[in-house]
């Protein structure tokens, strides 16, 4: 809703732009009613008389008016310009005591005053940049008390953008104790390179987005927090969090998007921190670099989601919320960097990489289960890379059920860990965590087991040290610590290590969402409860039903017209209504016309990619390891329908690999398989 300043605050006459003669403010023919605006006039630049986009230029002398509104119609752009030839002090003076300037979406006020200091724009009341509006400070004139201090913080101004695109050399901007809507830093006016400096001892609040453009160096010397309520967007340049010895904390409340040429760093002796503290799940897309002593803090109970690798050069603090990672978007901890505060409240949910030669505990887990893994370094070097991941699932089904001879009697059918490393690897010890999900009763009787892909068996790695009774940690003997690991028991009457039902599976059949699972040990099962959610946080209970002792395959269907994704949660209730096991999955409706599948998986000498294509075309298949090195590549002509493409894996080392399938329009999909 556009509310006129005239209606709000004044009895001033309205001067409206008609643009009948030129773009010149000082041309009387451009105004309705006739005559140039006076200090008693409210000036309105809108599309009531003149349709379409247009520009207006102030004259070289000073102009005084009561107030200014720039109110384009939807989809239109209207810009008012103070030209570089104007060196008046001020070039534009607005005397309204309330809202002196109101700019709506599509409106632009570009201040290119030729002043090198002093006030080019004088505002008695407020500068209101509504969402979608833009003010460009394209001058070396001052901005602190005359402009920034006048910014409105009313609701609906969070995405009103204040842009610095200052010509000439380095420029100091007013940041401390300020409240911006959205802030953008550019270097176009200074031929592609510009340095902005900010100093202060008070907090700074950017309620909307912070954008740092290519060629910008943004140096901060702030002693308190800087909060970014919207998105952080770095398309290049350097964001220097501390060019003096200050421990600034920058709090990101929404998405973090950094292009490949972006750099976040510190260049003094302070230890600044970037903290993710949103009120909903946050996206982190860090394609550039974080350098030097910059700490990263996860402090969002809803967690963060990676779609690119997050590099940790100095320290990672896991205080609240999980980091969801993938093989193509991992947490990567540099040599000598540390991780602190990990717990069941905050860990890495998915794979993560550590580079270095020191002992390291991987703070990994899955969903609500924290299951860290520690490697005790032996003979490693500073460039060695290790990838670790914790999995829910039955390792006996995923790999094999054959167990080495005594003393192992039974292994877990609930969980396992994987470790990927580049050879050569010297023997070292591994420590695994045992928690409530493990269903153990005596750590003293547990051992670590490792899948042996050459003999198709789970082999004994022992228990050289343990901490705890039914939960804690166990440590192996010296071993070649690569591959798949789980826990096993050496006694028949303890450590049940049970599985109640295997991983949920879901798919869409039209508008019907189907959820299925296979149950085990149903003598411990009373009921199942089914819940659904659109956001993965707030679940609605669908139904509770009794377990069927004569059937261990379950499938339920829910009609959900118009939905594209849904979270489903199944909880097993065992004995007096106690929750014994819960699993949650996200089922997305596929928009792809291509379907890909890899089998067998794990593979030994040969694996196959099943490609179900909607059109005939040539595709490329590339096989990468988890470090990004390509090992195999081939091109195939794919026919419409189902295709079986064989890939020879004999020459590949044992480990996990990715198969990327690319067509004319780009990447069709990526598949993961294990070579043994």
């Amino acid at each position: 809703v556009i509310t006129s300043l005239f209606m709000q605050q004044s009895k001033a006459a309205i001067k409206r732009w008609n643009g009948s003669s030129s773009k010149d403010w000082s041309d009387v023919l451009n105004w309705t009613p006739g005559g140039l605006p006076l200090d008693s006039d409210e000036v309105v630049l809108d599309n009531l008389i003149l349709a379409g986009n247009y520009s207006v230029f102030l004259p070289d002398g000073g102009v005084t008016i009561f107030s200014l509104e720039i109110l384009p119609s939807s989809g239109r752009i209207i810009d008012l310009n103070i030209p570089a030839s104007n060196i008046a002090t001020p070039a534009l003076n607005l005397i309204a005591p309330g809202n002196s300037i109101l700019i709506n979406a599509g409106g632009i006020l570009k201040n290119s005053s030729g002043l090198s200091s002093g006030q080019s724009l004088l505002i008695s009341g407020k500068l209101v940049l509504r969402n979608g509006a833009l003010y460009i400070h394209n001058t070396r004139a001052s901005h602190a008390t005359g402009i920034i201090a006048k910014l409105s913080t009313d609701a609906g101004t969070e995405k009103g953008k204040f842009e610095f695109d200052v010509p000439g050399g380095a420029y100091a901007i007013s940041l401390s104790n300020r409240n911006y809507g959205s802030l953008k830093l550019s270097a176009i006016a200074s031929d592609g390179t510009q340095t902005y400096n900010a100093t202060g001892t008070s907090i700074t609040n950017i309620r909307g987005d912070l954008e740092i453009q290519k060629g910008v160096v943004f140096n901060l010397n702030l002693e308190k927090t800087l909060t970014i309520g919207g998105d952080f967007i770095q398309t290049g340049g350097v964001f220097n969090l501390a060019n003096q010895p200050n421990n600034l904390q920058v709090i990101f409340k929404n998405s973090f998007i950094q292009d490949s040429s972006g750099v976040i760093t510190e260049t003094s002796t302070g230890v600044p921190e970037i903290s993710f503290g949103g009120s909903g799940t946050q996206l982190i897309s860090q394609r550039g670099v974080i350098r030097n002593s910059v700490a990263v803090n996860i402090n969002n109970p809803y967690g963060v989601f990676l779609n690119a690798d997050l590099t940790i050069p100095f320290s990672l603090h896991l205080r609240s919320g999980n980091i969801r990672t993938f093989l193509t978007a991992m947490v990567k901890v540099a040599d000598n960097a540390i991780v602190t505060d990990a717990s069941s409240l905050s860990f890495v949910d998915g794979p993560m990489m550590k580079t270095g030669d020191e002992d390291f505990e991987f703070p990994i887990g899955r969903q609500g289960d924290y299951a860290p893994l520690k490697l005790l370094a032996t003979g490693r070097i500073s460039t060695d890379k290790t990838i670790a991941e914790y999995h829910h699932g039955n390792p006996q089904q995923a790999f094999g059920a054959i167990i080495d001879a005594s003393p192992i009697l039974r292994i877990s059918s609930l969980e396992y860990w994987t470790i990927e490393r580049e050879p050569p690897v010297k023997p070292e010890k591994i420590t695994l965590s045992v928690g409530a999900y493990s269903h153990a009763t005596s750590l003293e009787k547990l051992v670590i087991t490792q899948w042996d892909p050459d003999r198709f068996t789970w082999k004994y790695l022992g228990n050289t040290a343990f901490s705890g009774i039914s939960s804690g940690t166990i440590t192996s003997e010296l071993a070649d610590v690569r591959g798949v690991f789980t826990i096993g028991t050496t006694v028949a009457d303890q450590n049940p290590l049970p599985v109640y039902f295997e991983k949920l599976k879901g798919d869409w059949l039209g508008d019907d969402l189907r959820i299925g699972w296979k149950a085990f040990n149903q003598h411990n099962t009373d009921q199942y409860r089914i819940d659904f959610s659109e956001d993965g946080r707030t679940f609605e209970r669908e139904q509770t039903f009794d377990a069927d002792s004569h059937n261990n395959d379950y499938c339920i269907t829910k009609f959900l017209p118009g939905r594209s994704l849904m979270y489903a949660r199944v909880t097993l209730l065992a004995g007096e209504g106690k929750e014994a096991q819960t699993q949650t999955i996200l089922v997305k409706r596929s928009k792809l016309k291509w379907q890909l599948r890899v089998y067998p998986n794990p593979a030994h000498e040969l694996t196959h990619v099943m490609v179900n294509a909607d059109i005939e075309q040539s595709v490329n298949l590339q096989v990468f390891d988890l470090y990004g090195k390509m090992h195999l590549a081939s091109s195939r002509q794919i026919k419409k329908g189902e295709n079986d493409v064989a890939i020879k894996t004999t020459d590949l080392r044992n480990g996990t690999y990715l198969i990327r399938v690319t067509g004319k329009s780009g990447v069709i999909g990526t598949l993961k398989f294990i070579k043994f």
Side-chain angles (χ1 to χ4, degrees), residues 40-185:
S40 59
D41 292 330
E42 177 184 354
V43 172
V44 179
L45 307 180
D46 61 10
N47 293 116
L48 187 63
I49 299 174
L50 182 62
N53 306 331
Y54 64 85
S55 301
V56 179
F57 289 85
L58 285 178
D60 287 347
V63 170
T64 299
I65 58 175
F66 186 75
S67 62
L68 170 69
E69 297 180 73
I70 306 179
L71 304 175
S73 298
S74 178
R76 302 299 185 187
I77 297 175
I78 299 174
D79 57 278
L80 174 63
N81 299 269
I82 301 175
S85 56
N86 190 315
I87 57 173
T89 307
L92 180 60
N93 181 22
L94 300 112
I95 63 175
N99 292 340
S100 296
I101 302 179
L102 187 152
I103 306 178
N104 212 54
I108 302 171
L109 174 55
K110 185 174 183 179
N111 184 357
S112 301
S113 164
L115 287 176
S116 58
S117 62
Q119 298 284 348
S120 59
L121 182 60
L122 191 61
I123 304 171
S124 295
K126 289 183 179 180
L127 168 58
V128 183
L129 299 176
R130 284 182 170 157
N131 292 342
L134 173 63
Y135 170 85
I136 304 174
H137 197 73
N138 185 221
T139 173
R140 298 192 68 81
S142 64
H143 63 277
T145 57
I147 304 176
I148 298 297
K150 304 294 185 176
L151 277 174
S152 170
T153 58
D154 293 346
T157 62
E158 298 83 2
K159 297 290 185 176
K161 189 176 297 181
F162 195 108
E163 178 178 355
F164 285 98
D165 186 17
V166 179
Y171 186 82
I173 66 174
S174 180
L175 212 63
S176 178
N177 199 30
R178 299 302 185 193
N179 280 282
Y180 285 83
S182 292
L183 175 62
K184 180 178 180 180
L185 304 178

Side-chain angles (χ1 to χ4, degrees), residues 576-594:
E576 301 178 354
K578 294 181 180 179
E579 296 184 5
Q581 185 182 354
T582 297
Q583 290 188 30
T584 303
I585 59 170
L586 171 62
V587 187
K588 295 183 179 179
R589 190 191 299 273
S590 175
K591 296 182 180 179
L592 298 176
K593 296 180 180 179
W594 292 74

Side-chain angles (χ1 to χ4, degrees), residues 594 596 609 611 613 616-624 630 632-638 645 647 658-671:
W594 292 74
L596 303 175
V609 177
V611 183
E616 180 178 342
Q617 68 167 278
S618 177
V619 299
N620 296 318
L621 292 93
Q622 298 168 306
V623 177
F624 297 87
M630 186 174 69
L632 299 172
S634 65
S635 298
R636 303 292 174 90
Q637 189 67 27
I638 299 298
V645 180
I647 298 177
L658 301 176
I659 303 175
R660 181 182 297 163
V661 183
T662 307
K664 292 180 179 179
S665 59
V667 177
I668 297 169
T670 302
L671 303 168

